[in-house]
Amino acid sequence: MKVLVVEDDVELAAQLRTALTEAGYTVECAHDGTAGEYLGATEQVAAAVLDLGLPGMDGIEVLRGWRGQGLAFPVLILTARDAWGDKVAGFRAGADDYVLKPFRMEEVVLRLSVLLRRAAGHASAEIAAGSLVFDTATAIATLDGLPLRLTAFETRILRQLMLNIGRTVSRSELAEQLYDGDTDRDFRSLEVLIGRLRRKIGEARIETRRGEGWRLLPGDPS
């Protein structure tokens, strides 16, 4: 899944990129409000981590711009401001949650995973498709109770399929969540990655819908 990080502190943005990438996300970064507002409006992002104190446009302006365009992806605000009025302004502009600086990277990752699974309609951190279970908080997948050894790309694909369990995920949607903006969308590589994931979780668990995409079965194959 693709997460947009809008943070003017380049070092902090790099730390967030590393933590989120290690958690299995694809990450785009912007270092000012204008670029962040544009990327959020033009890239197919699943969620955004947004600083309030940005050059160009502040975070509240960016968030109002997204919501004004009908963009409903979850937004986690990062702010050094602890005044109640700033928090209220963020929520009124359309924020879903906030974290006060300084913070632990683990907290950002966990809060983001909660927002994403809630947006997908899942109440629990663990999503199950029969005996296949994916923990959205830790990005660990198990099959019949045993952990699966997945690559970073395989984990990203499985996360997207599990969050959309039972629904066909198109090739373009999956590619958007798998690759960052500097990487070419290689659909042949995507086919190879799906094939590898199938061999690890069971060939019949992922259905190919020709001309449409892929669908993860909600239960164990019969």
Side-chain angles (χ1 to χ4, degrees):
M1 305 190 80
K2 183 179 291 184
V3 175
L4 173 62
V5 173
V6 189
E7 168 60 62
D8 63 323
D9 184 326
V10 176
E11 183 178 350
L12 179 56
Q15 293 171 354
L16 285 164
R17 178 194 287 273
T18 298
L20 290 168
T21 299
E22 288 177 351
Y25 297 102
T26 304
V27 183
E28 294 275 4
C29 285
H31 303 300
D32 63 76
T34 304
E37 196 275 340
Y38 175 78
L39 284 175
T42 57
E43 293 285 326
Q44 191 176 345
V45 300
V49 179
L50 177 66
D51 184 31
L52 286 188
L54 295 168
M57 299 170 63
D58 69 26
I60 297 297
E61 290 181 277
V62 172
L63 186 49
R64 285 175 178 157
W66 289 339
R67 296 311 190 219
Q69 296 174 68
L71 301 170
F73 53 78
V75 175
L76 175 66
I77 282 180
L78 305 180
T79 180
R81 309 172 187 176
D82 58 1
W84 173 245
D86 291 324
K87 299 172 189 175
V88 171
F91 283 121
R92 284 180 174 170
D96 297 275
D97 199 359
Y98 70 91
V99 175
L100 290 177
K101 297 178 180 179
F103 52 79
R104 294 178 64 89
M105 291 295 161
E106 295 88 348
E107 182 180 5
V108 173
V109 173
L110 285 172
R111 285 180 179 269
L112 196 61
S113 72
V114 170
L115 292 179
L116 284 165
R117 64 177 169 79
R118 284 179 178 170
H122 298 286
S124 171
E126 290 189 346
I127 304 173
S131 56
L132 175 65
V133 179
F134 186 83
D135 189 323
T136 58
T138 62
I140 294 174
T142 59
L143 182 62
D144 294 323
L146 299 175
L148 292 168
R149 297 183 63 181
L150 303 177
T151 66
F153 277 139
E154 290 165 356
T155 298
R156 292 176 190 175
I157 290 172
L158 184 58
R159 181 195 296 273
Q160 188 70 7
L161 292 175
M162 291 293 281
L163 284 172
N164 293 278
I165 194 165
R167 182 180 76 82
T168 300
V169 180
S170 71
R171 294 199 307 168
S172 60
E173 179 184 347
L174 200 53
E176 279 287 339
Q177 300 301 325
L178 193 63
Y179 304 115
D180 61 32
D182 298 324
T183 306
D184 291 333
R185 291 351 184 218
D186 187 345
F187 291 125
R188 287 176 297 180
S189 295
L190 189 54
E191 295 272 3
V192 172
L193 290 168
I194 290 286
R196 291 177 180 172
L197 180 60
R198 273 190 169 122
R199 287 192 288 275
K200 292 181 179 181
I201 68 172
E203 295 282 348
R205 288 185 181 274
I206 301 176
E207 290 183 343
T208 298
R209 298 293 181 90
R210 295 196 178 278
E212 298 180 47
W214 295 276
R215 172 179 176 268
L216 183 72
L217 296 181
D220 291 319
S222 55

